[in-house]
Amino acid sequence: MASAVDSVRTIEADQEAAFLDAIDRWIEREVRPQVMHHDHEDLWPAELVDQMAEMGLFGATIGQEYGGLGLPATTYAKIVARISSYWMALTGIFNSHLIMAAAVERFGTPEQKAEWLPKFATGEIRGGLALTEPDAGTDLQSIRMTARRDGDGYVINGTKTWISNGIKGSCFALLVKTDPEAEPRYKGMSLFIAPKGPGFAVGKKFEKLGYKSIDSAELIFDDYRIPAANLIGGVEGQGFLQATGGLELGRINVAARGVGLAEGSLRLATEYAQLRKTFGKPIAQHQAIQLKLGEMVTRARAARLLTFDAAEAYDRGERCDMEAGMAKYFASEAAVRNSEEAMRIFGGYSYSKEYEIERYYRDALLMCIGEGTNEMQRMIIAKQWLKRNPV
């Protein structure tokens, strides 16, 4: 089970700086000119996705021995924050994919790693994590999708919903019940590498308030046959732990997105407050605006520090569900608060799609729900805190 994912990954400071500089140039040259058009029209950013593959982002956290960049979570979080400060949706396209890859790299058999990870790393095969069902979101143990053993394979039936990359992706880490009668319920769950094929159909695409240009869709499985070799780890009953283990990286990603949204909202508000004048002076000189900016910059900084605290714990190989939960909870709430305050600073112009700030507000709201609701995060934080501090 041990792999490069479980070891401490590092990167030289100059290498990290060079990579982040390349990301900044790409954002300025390619992303910023396209973001508003793609967001308003809800268009899949095919050209940008190809460019992300060329930069290696689909293999960002995959080990170098499998063709990935092998980046530590700290560097990965910085990349996500940078991109999200201009367009958050792009990061979802490779994050869901990397959670799927992490499940294979951490828990897969040597044969599974050799077969799938190189193709994941290049982006030749792209996809995500298929957990949520119509009646099972935060409570994953309530999933109903079943996988029945049949000869040298399994037959899968059921429906997944709100799956990122569901339309454009070609392969998913699929959580199912291999033993629906198991108690406790999590012991009857297994995780499969599920490429699209006969019996695997895409249902409706969900129209969303924000998080545009990344497809969120329903996946329908009707007597979908899959080889037993695609059972991650080769042993039934390990799926719940395999899936939730990857959520630590996912929550660090969402926290980094929150950092990016909080910092991006602050950037836009800071620029506007120094250009917009009322009563003969820039509004940045009014105390009411300064109070807002002071809170926003503090909130963004605190979110950043919590996020990198969690990422550093992940890189050390430590259990970090509490740290990741704190980072995800605080940073996502910071994104909402900062984007809302920026809307107020922009005033009536914030309600116009000619300005970018309205997108930040629409996108930020999702961060409080995705990768486990913030209500659930607070429960996880409290439970882990109590375990670490028994009387």
Side-chain angles (χ1 to χ4, degrees):
M1 188 174 92
S3 73
V5 170
D6 300 305
S7 63
V8 177
R9 286 179 172 173
T10 60
I11 184 172
E12 295 295 331
D14 57 343
Q15 292 177 312
E16 180 182 82
F19 196 88
L20 293 174
D21 185 59
I23 292 290
D24 286 338
R25 293 197 305 272
W26 173 68
I27 291 171
E28 195 64 32
R29 183 180 64 250
E30 302 291 346
V31 177
R32 293 190 71 177
Q34 298 190 53
V35 55
M36 290 184 73
H37 173 67
H38 278 74
D39 177 76
H40 293 170
E41 300 298 326
D42 196 10
L43 297 175
W44 169 256
E47 184 178 351
L48 294 177
V49 170
D50 289 341
Q51 292 167 3
M52 290 193 294
E54 290 174 10
M55 289 189 290
L57 290 179
F58 287 100
T61 57
I62 297 174
Q64 293 180 356
E65 62 269 40
Y66 300 112
L69 297 178
L71 298 178
T74 46
T75 303
Y76 177 58
K78 290 175 184 177
I79 293 168
V80 171
R82 293 279 181 99
I83 298 173
S84 295
S85 69
Y86 291 93
W87 192 12
M88 185 271 287
L90 286 179
T91 65
I93 294 174
F94 59 80
N95 177 61
S96 297
H97 168 86
L98 287 171
I99 297 176
M100 169 180 67
V104 176
E105 191 167 1
R106 294 178 76 179
F107 304 108
T109 65
E111 294 77 16
Q112 289 169 343
K113 296 175 187 181
E115 178 180 357
W116 296 97
L117 290 175
K119 295 176 183 177
F120 291 165
T122 62
E124 175 187 345
I125 296 177
R126 297 195 303 267
L129 191 65
L131 306 181
T132 304
E133 297 184 7
D135 295 316
T138 299
D139 181 14
L140 282 180
Q141 295 187 62
S142 295
I143 65 167
R144 298 179 181 178
M145 178 172 285
T146 60
R148 175 178 54 83
R149 186 65 189 250
D150 184 35
D152 60 355
Y154 289 82
V155 177
I156 296 177
N157 286 280
T159 300
K160 296 292 182 182
T161 192
W162 287 108
I163 306 305
S164 297
N165 297 324
I167 297 172
K168 297 296 184 178
S170 59
C171 184
F172 298 85
L174 183 66
L175 188 64
V176 303
K177 287 279 184 73
T178 42
D179 183 2
E181 306 302 321
E183 288 294 339
R185 293 176 297 169
Y186 71 86
K187 289 189 175 181
M189 303 170 74
S190 301
L191 195 65
F192 284 87
I193 305 168
K196 286 182 175 177
F200 182 156
V202 177
K204 63 181 179 181
K205 173 187 175 182
F206 293 102
E207 300 295 329
K208 307 186 296 288
L209 170 70
Y211 202 39
K212 304 285 189 176
S213 300
I214 175 174
D215 46 298
S216 302
E218 182 181 61
L219 305 181
I220 302 168
F221 298 82
D222 184 10
D223 287 341
Y224 169 70
R225 298 188 64 88
I226 191 168
N230 286 31
L231 172 62
I232 295 178
V235 179
E236 292 184 8
Q238 304 299 310
F240 182 79
L241 298 177
Q242 293 168 351
T244 55
L247 291 180
E248 286 181 352
L249 181 62
R251 285 170 183 157
I252 290 170
N253 171 279
V254 171
R257 290 193 225 176
V259 171
L261 289 166
E263 293 179 343
S265 298
L266 173 63
R267 182 189 69 249
L268 293 176
T270 302
E271 293 171 354
Y272 184 80
Q274 294 177 81
L275 296 173
R276 172 70 166 164
K277 294 182 178 180
T278 63
F279 304 104
K281 60 183 179 181
I283 63 173
Q285 295 182 22
H286 294 304
Q287 187 180 57
I289 301 300
Q290 291 175 354
L291 292 173
K292 291 182 182 297
L293 291 173
E295 290 183 352
M296 290 171 70
V297 69
T298 303
R299 201 179 289 124
R301 180 65 174 167
R304 173 172 280 270
L305 292 173
L306 276 170
T307 298
F308 289 107
D309 177 62
E312 288 167 4
Y314 184 91
D315 285 336
R316 291 192 298 267
E318 299 172 2
R319 179 171 180 172
C320 60
D321 47 352
M322 186 176 85
E323 289 77 8
M326 288 192 295
K328 188 270 182 188
Y329 163 56
F330 188 89
S332 60
E333 296 289 350
V336 172
R337 288 291 304 280
N338 273 19
S339 62
E340 181 183 4
E341 291 287 38
M343 293 274 286
R344 292 170 183 263
I345 290 171
F346 271 77
Y349 287 114
S350 70
Y351 228 59
S352 169
K353 286 200 170 186
E354 293 182 15
Y355 288 80
E356 290 189 277
I357 190 57
E358 58 88 27
R359 181 180 74 253
Y360 287 74
Y361 181 68
R362 289 186 287 108
D363 284 352
L365 295 170
L366 174 64
M367 297 299 95
C368 296
I369 301 169
E371 298 293 346
T373 65
N374 280 359
E375 289 73 19
M376 180 59 69
Q377 298 312 310
R378 285 180 285 182
M379 293 171 62
I380 291 171
I381 295 164
K383 288 177 180 178
Q384 285 304 310
W385 177 254
L386 291 170
K387 282 185 179 180
R388 297 183 192 186
N389 295 275
V391 175

Short mmCIF file of all heavy atoms in Angstrom, two decimals, residues 257-300:
data_model
loop_
_atom_site.label_atom_id
_atom_site.label_comp_id
_atom_site.label_asym_id
_atom_site.label_seq_id
_atom_site.Cartn_x
_atom_site.Cartn_y
_atom_site.Cartn_z
N ARG A 257 -8.62 26.71 -2.98
CA ARG A 257 -9.54 27.47 -3.83
C ARG A 257 -10.14 28.63 -3.05
O ARG A 257 -10.29 29.74 -3.56
CB ARG A 257 -10.67 26.57 -4.33
CG ARG A 257 -10.27 25.53 -5.33
CD ARG A 257 -11.50 24.94 -5.97
NE ARG A 257 -11.45 23.49 -6.05
CZ ARG A 257 -12.44 22.73 -6.50
NH1 ARG A 257 -13.57 23.28 -6.88
NH2 ARG A 257 -12.32 21.42 -6.56
N GLY A 258 -10.51 28.35 -1.79
CA GLY A 258 -11.05 29.41 -0.94
C GLY A 258 -10.04 30.54 -0.75
O GLY A 258 -10.41 31.72 -0.78
N VAL A 259 -8.78 30.17 -0.55
CA VAL A 259 -7.72 31.18 -0.44
C VAL A 259 -7.66 32.02 -1.70
O VAL A 259 -7.61 33.26 -1.65
CB VAL A 259 -6.35 30.51 -0.18
CG1 VAL A 259 -5.22 31.53 -0.28
CG2 VAL A 259 -6.33 29.84 1.18
N GLY A 260 -7.68 31.35 -2.86
CA GLY A 260 -7.62 32.07 -4.12
C GLY A 260 -8.80 33.02 -4.31
O GLY A 260 -8.64 34.17 -4.73
N LEU A 261 -10.00 32.54 -3.98
CA LEU A 261 -11.19 33.39 -4.10
C LEU A 261 -11.15 34.56 -3.13
O LEU A 261 -11.51 35.69 -3.48
CB LEU A 261 -12.45 32.55 -3.87
CG LEU A 261 -12.81 31.56 -4.98
CD1 LEU A 261 -13.85 30.56 -4.48
CD2 LEU A 261 -13.32 32.29 -6.21
N ALA A 262 -10.69 34.30 -1.90
CA ALA A 262 -10.60 35.37 -0.91
C ALA A 262 -9.57 36.41 -1.34
O ALA A 262 -9.81 37.62 -1.22
CB ALA A 262 -10.23 34.79 0.46
N GLU A 263 -8.42 35.94 -1.84
CA GLU A 263 -7.38 36.86 -2.27
C GLU A 263 -7.75 37.57 -3.56
O GLU A 263 -7.45 38.76 -3.74
CB GLU A 263 -6.05 36.11 -2.43
CG GLU A 263 -5.49 35.60 -1.11
CD GLU A 263 -4.19 34.83 -1.24
OE1 GLU A 263 -3.87 34.39 -2.37
OE2 GLU A 263 -3.51 34.67 -0.22
N GLY A 264 -8.41 36.86 -4.47
CA GLY A 264 -8.84 37.49 -5.71
C GLY A 264 -9.89 38.56 -5.46
O GLY A 264 -9.86 39.64 -6.07
N SER A 265 -10.83 38.29 -4.57
CA SER A 265 -11.84 39.29 -4.21
C SER A 265 -11.18 40.51 -3.58
O SER A 265 -11.56 41.66 -3.86
CB SER A 265 -12.85 38.68 -3.22
OG SER A 265 -13.55 37.59 -3.80
N LEU A 266 -10.20 40.27 -2.72
CA LEU A 266 -9.46 41.36 -2.10
C LEU A 266 -8.73 42.19 -3.15
O LEU A 266 -8.73 43.43 -3.09
CB LEU A 266 -8.47 40.79 -1.08
CG LEU A 266 -7.50 41.78 -0.44
CD1 LEU A 266 -8.24 42.84 0.37
CD2 LEU A 266 -6.48 41.04 0.43
N ARG A 267 -8.10 41.51 -4.11
CA ARG A 267 -7.38 42.22 -5.17
C ARG A 267 -8.30 43.14 -5.96
O ARG A 267 -8.00 44.32 -6.18
CB ARG A 267 -6.71 41.22 -6.11
CG ARG A 267 -5.89 41.86 -7.21
CD ARG A 267 -5.41 40.86 -8.26
NE ARG A 267 -6.50 40.34 -9.07
CZ ARG A 267 -6.94 39.09 -9.02
NH1 ARG A 267 -6.41 38.22 -8.19
NH2 ARG A 267 -7.93 38.71 -9.80
N LEU A 268 -9.44 42.60 -6.37
CA LEU A 268 -10.39 43.40 -7.15
C LEU A 268 -10.93 44.57 -6.34
O LEU A 268 -11.05 45.69 -6.85
CB LEU A 268 -11.53 42.51 -7.64
CG LEU A 268 -11.17 41.42 -8.67
CD1 LEU A 268 -12.38 40.57 -8.97
CD2 LEU A 268 -10.62 42.04 -9.94
N ALA A 269 -11.25 44.30 -5.08
CA ALA A 269 -11.80 45.36 -4.23
C ALA A 269 -10.76 46.45 -3.97
O ALA A 269 -11.09 47.64 -3.94
CB ALA A 269 -12.29 44.77 -2.91
N THR A 270 -9.50 46.04 -3.78
CA THR A 270 -8.42 47.00 -3.53
C THR A 270 -8.21 47.91 -4.73
O THR A 270 -8.05 49.14 -4.59
CB THR A 270 -7.12 46.26 -3.19
OG1 THR A 270 -7.34 45.42 -2.04
CG2 THR A 270 -6.00 47.23 -2.88
N GLU A 271 -8.21 47.31 -5.91
CA GLU A 271 -8.04 48.10 -7.14
C GLU A 271 -9.20 49.07 -7.32
O GLU A 271 -8.98 50.27 -7.58
CB GLU A 271 -7.93 47.17 -8.34
CG GLU A 271 -6.67 46.31 -8.36
CD GLU A 271 -6.71 45.24 -9.44
OE1 GLU A 271 -7.77 45.10 -10.10
OE2 GLU A 271 -5.70 44.53 -9.61
N TYR A 272 -10.40 48.58 -7.17
CA TYR A 272 -11.58 49.41 -7.40
C TYR A 272 -11.67 50.55 -6.38
O TYR A 272 -12.00 51.69 -6.72
CB TYR A 272 -12.85 48.55 -7.34
CG TYR A 272 -14.11 49.30 -7.65
CD1 TYR A 272 -14.49 49.57 -8.96
CD2 TYR A 272 -14.94 49.77 -6.61
CE1 TYR A 272 -15.64 50.26 -9.24
CE2 TYR A 272 -16.10 50.47 -6.89
CZ TYR A 272 -16.44 50.71 -8.21
OH TYR A 272 -17.58 51.43 -8.49
N ALA A 273 -11.36 50.23 -5.12
CA ALA A 273 -11.48 51.23 -4.06
C ALA A 273 -10.52 52.40 -4.25
O ALA A 273 -10.76 53.50 -3.75
CB ALA A 273 -11.24 50.58 -2.70
N GLN A 274 -9.42 52.16 -4.98
CA GLN A 274 -8.48 53.25 -5.22
C GLN A 274 -8.78 54.04 -6.49
O GLN A 274 -8.25 55.13 -6.70
CB GLN A 274 -7.06 52.68 -5.28
CG GLN A 274 -6.59 52.10 -3.95
CD GLN A 274 -5.23 51.47 -4.04
OE1 GLN A 274 -4.20 52.16 -4.01
NE2 GLN A 274 -5.21 50.15 -4.19
N LEU A 275 -9.65 53.48 -7.34
CA LEU A 275 -10.03 54.15 -8.58
C LEU A 275 -11.37 54.88 -8.46
O LEU A 275 -11.54 55.96 -9.02
CB LEU A 275 -10.10 53.13 -9.72
CG LEU A 275 -8.77 52.45 -10.10
CD1 LEU A 275 -9.03 51.36 -11.13
CD2 LEU A 275 -7.78 53.48 -10.64
N ARG A 276 -12.29 54.30 -7.73
CA ARG A 276 -13.62 54.86 -7.57
C ARG A 276 -13.59 56.03 -6.58
O ARG A 276 -13.02 55.90 -5.49
CB ARG A 276 -14.59 53.78 -7.07
CG ARG A 276 -15.96 54.26 -6.68
CD ARG A 276 -16.78 54.71 -7.85
NE ARG A 276 -18.18 54.85 -7.46
CZ ARG A 276 -19.08 55.52 -8.19
NH1 ARG A 276 -18.71 56.07 -9.33
NH2 ARG A 276 -20.33 55.60 -7.77
N LYS A 277 -14.15 57.15 -6.97
CA LYS A 277 -14.14 58.33 -6.11
C LYS A 277 -15.56 58.73 -5.70
O LYS A 277 -16.49 58.64 -6.50
CB LYS A 277 -13.47 59.51 -6.82
CG LYS A 277 -11.99 59.32 -7.08
CD LYS A 277 -11.37 60.55 -7.74
CE LYS A 277 -9.88 60.36 -7.95
NZ LYS A 277 -9.25 61.54 -8.59
N THR A 278 -15.70 59.15 -4.47
CA THR A 278 -16.93 59.77 -3.98
C THR A 278 -16.54 60.91 -3.05
O THR A 278 -15.52 60.84 -2.35
CB THR A 278 -17.82 58.79 -3.21
OG1 THR A 278 -17.14 58.33 -2.04
CG2 THR A 278 -18.23 57.60 -4.07
N PHE A 279 -17.33 61.94 -3.07
CA PHE A 279 -17.07 63.11 -2.23
C PHE A 279 -15.65 63.64 -2.40
O PHE A 279 -14.98 64.05 -1.44
CB PHE A 279 -17.35 62.78 -0.75
CG PHE A 279 -18.75 62.27 -0.51
CD1 PHE A 279 -18.97 60.91 -0.29
CD2 PHE A 279 -19.85 63.13 -0.55
CE1 PHE A 279 -20.26 60.43 -0.10
CE2 PHE A 279 -21.13 62.66 -0.36
CZ PHE A 279 -21.35 61.31 -0.13
N GLY A 280 -15.17 63.56 -3.64
CA GLY A 280 -13.90 64.18 -3.97
C GLY A 280 -12.66 63.38 -3.65
O GLY A 280 -11.54 63.89 -3.80
N LYS A 281 -12.79 62.11 -3.26
CA LYS A 281 -11.61 61.32 -2.96
C LYS A 281 -11.89 59.85 -3.21
O LYS A 281 -13.06 59.41 -3.22
CB LYS A 281 -11.15 61.53 -1.53
CG LYS A 281 -12.16 61.15 -0.45
CD LYS A 281 -11.62 61.48 0.93
CE LYS A 281 -12.63 61.14 2.03
NZ LYS A 281 -12.11 61.50 3.38
N PRO A 282 -10.82 59.03 -3.43
CA PRO A 282 -11.03 57.59 -3.64
C PRO A 282 -11.75 56.99 -2.44
O PRO A 282 -11.48 57.37 -1.29
CB PRO A 282 -9.61 57.04 -3.76
CG PRO A 282 -8.78 58.19 -4.20
CD PRO A 282 -9.38 59.39 -3.53
N ILE A 283 -12.64 56.04 -2.70
CA ILE A 283 -13.40 55.46 -1.59
C ILE A 283 -12.50 54.69 -0.63
O ILE A 283 -12.88 54.44 0.52
CB ILE A 283 -14.56 54.55 -2.09
CG1 ILE A 283 -14.01 53.34 -2.88
CG2 ILE A 283 -15.54 55.35 -2.94
CD1 ILE A 283 -15.09 52.34 -3.24
N ALA A 284 -11.29 54.33 -1.07
CA ALA A 284 -10.34 53.66 -0.18
C ALA A 284 -9.93 54.57 0.99
O ALA A 284 -9.43 54.09 2.01
CB ALA A 284 -9.09 53.24 -0.95
N GLN A 285 -10.16 55.85 0.85
CA GLN A 285 -9.82 56.78 1.92
C GLN A 285 -10.96 56.98 2.92
O GLN A 285 -10.78 57.67 3.92
CB GLN A 285 -9.38 58.12 1.33
CG GLN A 285 -8.09 58.03 0.52
CD GLN A 285 -7.64 59.38 -0.02
OE1 GLN A 285 -8.03 60.43 0.50
NE2 GLN A 285 -6.82 59.34 -1.06
N HIS A 286 -12.09 56.38 2.63
CA HIS A 286 -13.21 56.45 3.57
C HIS A 286 -13.05 55.36 4.63
O HIS A 286 -12.71 54.21 4.32
CB HIS A 286 -14.55 56.27 2.85
CG HIS A 286 -14.87 57.39 1.90
ND1 HIS A 286 -14.93 58.70 2.29
CD2 HIS A 286 -15.16 57.38 0.57
CE1 HIS A 286 -15.24 59.46 1.24
NE2 HIS A 286 -15.38 58.67 0.18
N GLN A 287 -13.32 55.71 5.87
CA GLN A 287 -13.11 54.77 6.96
C GLN A 287 -13.95 53.50 6.79
O GLN A 287 -13.49 52.39 7.09
CB GLN A 287 -13.44 55.43 8.30
CG GLN A 287 -13.09 54.56 9.50
CD GLN A 287 -13.43 55.24 10.81
OE1 GLN A 287 -14.58 55.63 11.03
NE2 GLN A 287 -12.44 55.39 11.68
N ALA A 288 -15.18 53.64 6.30
CA ALA A 288 -16.06 52.47 6.14
C ALA A 288 -15.44 51.43 5.20
O ALA A 288 -15.54 50.23 5.45
CB ALA A 288 -17.42 52.90 5.61
N ILE A 289 -14.80 51.89 4.14
CA ILE A 289 -14.16 50.98 3.19
C ILE A 289 -12.88 50.40 3.79
O ILE A 289 -12.56 49.22 3.61
CB ILE A 289 -13.87 51.71 1.87
CG1 ILE A 289 -15.17 52.24 1.25
CG2 ILE A 289 -13.16 50.77 0.89
CD1 ILE A 289 -16.21 51.18 0.94
N GLN A 290 -12.14 51.23 4.52
CA GLN A 290 -10.92 50.73 5.16
C GLN A 290 -11.21 49.62 6.16
O GLN A 290 -10.44 48.66 6.28
CB GLN A 290 -10.18 51.89 5.84
CG GLN A 290 -9.60 52.89 4.86
CD GLN A 290 -8.99 54.10 5.55
OE1 GLN A 290 -9.09 54.26 6.76
NE2 GLN A 290 -8.36 54.97 4.76
N LEU A 291 -12.32 49.75 6.89
CA LEU A 291 -12.71 48.70 7.83
C LEU A 291 -12.94 47.38 7.09
O LEU A 291 -12.54 46.31 7.56
CB LEU A 291 -13.95 49.11 8.61
CG LEU A 291 -13.77 50.27 9.61
CD1 LEU A 291 -15.13 50.69 10.18
CD2 LEU A 291 -12.82 49.88 10.73
N LYS A 292 -13.60 47.46 5.95
CA LYS A 292 -13.85 46.25 5.16
C LYS A 292 -12.55 45.65 4.65
O LYS A 292 -12.31 44.44 4.74
CB LYS A 292 -14.79 46.56 3.99
CG LYS A 292 -16.22 46.90 4.40
CD LYS A 292 -17.08 47.15 3.16
CE LYS A 292 -18.50 47.54 3.54
NZ LYS A 292 -19.19 46.47 4.28
N LEU A 293 -11.68 46.49 4.10
CA LEU A 293 -10.41 46.00 3.55
C LEU A 293 -9.54 45.39 4.64
O LEU A 293 -8.87 44.37 4.42
CB LEU A 293 -9.67 47.13 2.84
CG LEU A 293 -10.30 47.64 1.54
CD1 LEU A 293 -9.55 48.87 1.03
CD2 LEU A 293 -10.32 46.55 0.47
N GLY A 294 -9.55 46.02 5.82
CA GLY A 294 -8.76 45.47 6.92
C GLY A 294 -9.21 44.08 7.31
O GLY A 294 -8.38 43.19 7.58
N GLU A 295 -10.51 43.85 7.36
CA GLU A 295 -11.03 42.52 7.66
C GLU A 295 -10.72 41.54 6.53
O GLU A 295 -10.36 40.38 6.78
CB GLU A 295 -12.54 42.59 7.88
CG GLU A 295 -12.94 43.30 9.17
CD GLU A 295 -14.45 43.27 9.38
OE1 GLU A 295 -15.17 42.85 8.46
OE2 GLU A 295 -14.88 43.67 10.47
N MET A 296 -10.84 42.00 5.29
CA MET A 296 -10.64 41.11 4.15
C MET A 296 -9.20 40.62 4.06
O MET A 296 -8.96 39.42 3.83
CB MET A 296 -11.03 41.83 2.85
CG MET A 296 -12.53 42.07 2.70
SD MET A 296 -12.91 43.14 1.28
CE MET A 296 -12.50 42.04 -0.09
N VAL A 297 -8.24 41.51 4.26
CA VAL A 297 -6.84 41.09 4.13
C VAL A 297 -6.45 40.16 5.27
O VAL A 297 -5.70 39.18 5.08
CB VAL A 297 -5.91 42.32 4.05
CG1 VAL A 297 -5.85 43.09 5.37
CG2 VAL A 297 -4.52 41.91 3.61
N THR A 298 -6.99 40.40 6.47
CA THR A 298 -6.72 39.53 7.60
C THR A 298 -7.33 38.15 7.38
O THR A 298 -6.71 37.11 7.64
CB THR A 298 -7.26 40.14 8.90
OG1 THR A 298 -6.69 41.44 9.07
CG2 THR A 298 -6.94 39.27 10.10
N ARG A 299 -8.55 38.14 6.89
CA ARG A 299 -9.26 36.88 6.64
C ARG A 299 -8.53 36.05 5.58
O ARG A 299 -8.35 34.84 5.73
CB ARG A 299 -10.68 37.20 6.19
CG ARG A 299 -11.69 36.09 6.35
CD ARG A 299 -13.06 36.57 5.90
NE ARG A 299 -13.64 37.52 6.82
CZ ARG A 299 -14.05 38.75 6.50
NH1 ARG A 299 -13.93 39.19 5.26
NH2 ARG A 299 -14.58 39.53 7.41
N ALA A 300 -8.09 36.70 4.50
CA ALA A 300 -7.38 35.99 3.44
C ALA A 300 -6.06 35.43 3.94
O ALA A 300 -5.68 34.30 3.61
CB ALA A 300 -7.14 36.93 2.25
#
